[in-house]
Amino acid sequence: MAVNNVVHVNECGLPLNAIAWLVKHHQSKIHERTQMIRDLQLEEGCFVIDAGCGPGLWTPLLAQAIGVTGTILGIDISTEALVTAQRRNHNTWYRQQVQYKRATLEQLPVEQGTADVIFSANVSQYLPDPVATFAAMGPYLKQDGRIVIKDIDFGTMKFHSIDPLLQKRVFQARALWEAERVDHDYAYEDSWVGSKLAHYLQAAGYKDIQENAYRIVRHHVLPADFRFYLQGIAEWFVCEGAPYLSLDDVTNWLQCFTDEENSVLDQPDFASEETEYVVAGRWDGAAPRFYVDMHIEIPHREPLLVAND
Ligand SMILES: C[S@@+](CC[C@H](N)C(=O)[O-])C[C@H]1O[C@@H](n2cnc3c(N)ncnc32)[C@H](O)[C@@H]1O
């Protein structure tokens, strides 16, 4: 049974019908995401670039943090996302402080050395060479300016009251498929990127790396927007023909989430958990930039500062 009619991905990571999906997903985790921005302790009056801003869902949180003297530039390669962001911004108290422009992460439309913070949420999963992209973003920061990358990691996902072996097969099959789907003309995607971000930033030449892990747990009775999110994600795990999964596994998996009469989502012992990562680093203008093939071990140049909440 089709759930939510989600088209899973296009070449820029934003399917044309996905804005509604992004909005619901964001709303379903608004408590944790508000905390993520609070924990950054952004300075009032600072200049933040929201890189890969999509429909501008993080703009209100960022605006709240930087106050009436701060400024935000949202950039994205998707015109549709930018138009939506502009519309959402229209009647807000912070509208004069916000601009949206079409650009790529690698070539930001500002002078180098001008941004206090570059924030980027849920974009790194679509970057084929995240180290190179993060290194290219650094020069746009002021000396000691901060990059903040936020992303998911489906290696942390668990559903209580679903057969653990079925879950393991589904997750492993998706991980295998993600490693090769780019060879079948699909866009690059790494939904396991969250826990790799600290190493990526270090390899890209950032210092003072700080990783915060946000555990997102929901129990029965599920809020409607989180239920919508889980059903969409469940279908996404087995999309594109799920080449490494048996038909029985696909059917059983979908049935867990979508069976109108007997969905596990409605069982009193149901709980879901996953962890999202927010990783920050400071740009040391003098740092050597080197590009590393992330499929090989990256040497630690200095110990990572890890601050779990
Ligand atoms: C999943 S959406 C996330 C949007 C928003 N940051 C959020 O969390 O709601 C990913 C966004 O990244 C944009 N994107 C992907 N690669 C990009 C790149 N290299 N440069 C600029 N935008 C990019 C896509 O167009 C899409 O809007």
Side-chain angles (χ1 to χ4, degrees), residues 23-36 58 61 122 150 152 154 157 216 218 225-226 229 233 274-276:
V23 172
K24 283 247 193 182
H25 181 187
H26 186 75
Q27 209 48 46
S28 76
K29 296 177 177 171
I30 194 68
H31 172 72
E32 289 85 358
R33 292 183 175 187
T34 302
Q35 191 59 44
M36 289 174 195
W58 294 81
L61 301 177
N122 307 314
K150 180 262 162 208
I152 53 169
F154 284 163
M157 196 165 241
I216 297 171
R218 298 287 185 275
D225 50 13
F226 199 78
Y229 160 68
I233 278 296
E274 71 182 282
T275 296
E276 297 195 345

Side-chain angles (χ1 to χ4, degrees), residues 47 49 73 108-115 137-142:
F47 170 38
I49 299 180
L73 172 63
L108 297 172
V110 294
E111 273 187 42
Q112 296 204 344
T114 54
M137 293 158 89
Y140 295 97
L141 286 164
K142 291 177 180 167

Side-chain angles (χ1 to χ4, degrees), residues 47-118:
F47 170 38
V48 181
I49 299 180
D50 183 356
C53 62
L57 304 176
W58 294 81
T59 307
L61 301 177
L62 293 169
Q64 192 68 42
I66 62 176
V68 292
T69 53
T71 44
I72 299 170
L73 172 63
I75 70 99
D76 204 284
I77 45 174
S78 160
T79 309
E80 193 209 8
L82 293 169
V83 169
T84 309
Q86 192 63 55
R87 265 198 217 117
R88 292 174 62 90
N89 192 45
H90 189 57
N91 274 328
T92 62
W93 61 264
Y94 46 79
R95 62 187 178 281
Q96 308 282 16
Q97 300 163 242
V98 181
Q99 273 195 309
Y100 295 105
K101 290 190 180 171
R102 189 163 189 275
T104 65
L105 264 57
E106 295 80 9
Q107 285 196 296
L108 297 172
V110 294
E111 273 187 42
Q112 296 204 344
T114 54
D116 292 296
V117 175
I118 299 177

Side-chain angles (χ1 to χ4, degrees), residues 212-233:
N212 276 302
Y214 294 83
R215 206 163 147 255
I216 297 171
V217 181
R218 298 287 185 275
H219 297 273
H220 180 78
V221 179
L222 293 176
D225 50 13
F226 199 78
R227 192 189 167 95
F228 178 91
Y229 160 68
L230 283 187
Q231 290 186 321
I233 278 296

